[in-house]
Amino acid sequence: MVTPGEIMAMFVAEENSLEHAEHFRRRLAGAELNVSVGLARLGHRVGFLGAVGDDPLGTHARRTLEAEGIDAAGLTVDPAAGTGFQLKNRVAEGDPTVVYFRRASAGSRFAWSESCAELVGGARHLHLTGVFAALSASTLDCARKAVDRARAVGATVSFDPNLRPALWSDRGEMVEVINELAERADWVLPGLDEGEVLTGAADPAAVADFYLSRGVSEVVIKLGGRGAELHTPQGSHSLPAHPVEVVDTVGAGDGFAAGWISARLDGLSAEDALRRACEVGARATTSRGDMDGLPTRRLLEQPVGA
């Protein structure tokens, strides 16, 4: 499996207010990174495509990939730009505040190359998100060419819209581009709120029908604390959310995607894949780091809370 994306440093405040925070813990963040780590911990071979700056944060990112067993051959160093980073506050409940510093970052300058074509061409699966497509004209071009290459070699493709309206100058363009990429995927994994923005439908079945009618094989609608729904041309299936003590909701959707992709690559049925996706997504919320709670395959076999 391979994914292109941006790895960012993340500094998590020990205090609730970013304005007054003086103490931070360094982590890494990025939707594609979270999915990659989740899949690697579940025993899959993973390659990452992207760029970091020639700086300590970029070095830390590469070492983290290698420590997680992820192939970092596709992670290039851009000497003319820095590694993006973000600040996140600490909250007792609800979603934290995240402030991004990624404009003109090394990750946003990443572009398609022959080495990208080689890495995608040798993979069984390609995972894309709307975040990477939104960063710049070059990353959008990379996303499109990655899909072309994956389709040419018969690899499966998953797509998580991961909408970031702040990264787009025009809402209409965002909807058009995200749907263009989604319609070329085998598996589309939107949240319900995202689905409404992208399709105009508020009902999960209607959101799914929008993509199924355009050739997508399986649409999985994430419903947050209410679980998830799977929709295919053959029918639908739903599961409640796994009961866990939620610490930080950021990264739950990425964990869900890792669980789904892992199960499908393992040859499990769509219904069993939904079960694994819900469990991995739930476990991802049990720690403060975006990927700290992502389980290994051995841990996944244990009851939540064990």
Side-chain angles (χ1 to χ4, degrees):
M1 174 269 182
V2 67
T3 184
E6 179 177 25
I7 300 178
M8 304 181 70
M10 176 172 65
F11 297 94
V12 184
E14 291 295 308
E15 298 87 359
N16 293 336
S17 169
L18 285 178
E19 180 181 356
H20 301 292
E22 295 183 356
H23 302 92
F24 295 83
R25 290 193 176 188
R26 184 186 63 181
R27 297 285 190 273
L28 289 177
E32 303 85 4
L33 172 66
N34 297 337
V35 174
S36 296
V37 170
L39 283 162
R41 290 182 185 176
L42 291 172
H44 298 276
R45 294 177 59 190
V46 181
F48 195 92
L49 301 177
V52 292
D54 185 13
D55 50 42
L57 299 180
T59 300
H60 175 59
R62 178 176 294 278
R63 289 176 177 172
T64 298
L65 287 182
E66 294 171 347
E68 293 287 348
I70 298 170
D71 185 354
L75 186 68
T76 62
V77 176
D78 185 340
T83 305
F85 68 95
Q86 61 180 252
L87 305 178
K88 185 168 78 170
N89 71 331
R90 182 173 183 171
V91 295
E93 60 182 25
D95 296 336
T97 298
V98 182
V99 181
Y100 296 92
F101 298 84
R102 71 193 322 169
R103 188 182 299 275
S105 66
S108 70
R109 289 159 48 96
F110 186 69
W112 184 257
S113 65
E114 286 301 317
S115 62
C116 292
E118 182 178 349
L119 289 169
V120 174
R124 290 175 56 201
H125 182 77
L126 170 72
H127 179 66
L128 289 172
T129 80
V131 179
F132 184 69
L135 295 178
S136 67
S138 67
T139 60
L140 175 55
D141 176 70
C142 181
R144 286 170 168 156
K145 288 178 177 175
V147 174
D148 290 341
R149 181 63 172 154
R151 286 300 185 200
V153 299
T156 50
V157 178
S158 57
F159 183 75
D160 187 337
N162 245 309
L163 293 185
R164 299 291 189 275
L167 294 175
W168 297 89
S169 59
D170 181 81
R171 180 185 175 96
E173 180 189 14
M174 176 184 74
V175 171
E176 180 181 355
V177 170
I178 295 299
N179 280 335
E180 169 207 330
L181 293 170
E183 291 166 15
R184 300 192 64 198
D186 297 286
W187 314 321
V188 178
L189 311 168
L192 182 57
D193 290 344
E194 293 175 325
E196 184 172 1
V197 171
L198 294 169
T199 71
D203 177 69
V207 172
D209 286 343
F210 177 91
Y211 295 111
L212 293 174
S213 67
R214 289 162 171 78
V216 175
S217 300
E218 297 165 349
V219 182
V220 188
I221 312 293
K222 294 170 286 188
L223 304 175
R226 294 188 289 125
E229 291 187 9
L230 161 69
H231 296 266
T232 73
Q234 291 73 42
S236 61
H237 183 71
S238 63
L239 277 180
H242 263 282
V244 295
E245 184 176 345
V246 176
V247 175
D248 187 339
T249 58
V250 177
D254 303 326
F256 185 97
W260 172 268
I261 296 166
S262 168
R264 295 305 268 147
L265 292 181
D266 282 348
L268 300 186
S269 69
E271 290 81 3
D272 287 339
L274 185 64
R275 185 171 295 105
R276 181 180 291 182
C278 286
E279 182 171 353
V280 177
R283 288 182 181 272
T285 69
T286 60
S287 65
R288 297 205 176 278
D290 290 7
M291 61 186 189
D292 293 358
L294 294 170
T296 61
R297 188 174 289 268
R298 180 178 179 182
L299 183 61
L300 192 64
E301 295 170 353
Q302 301 175 4
V304 176

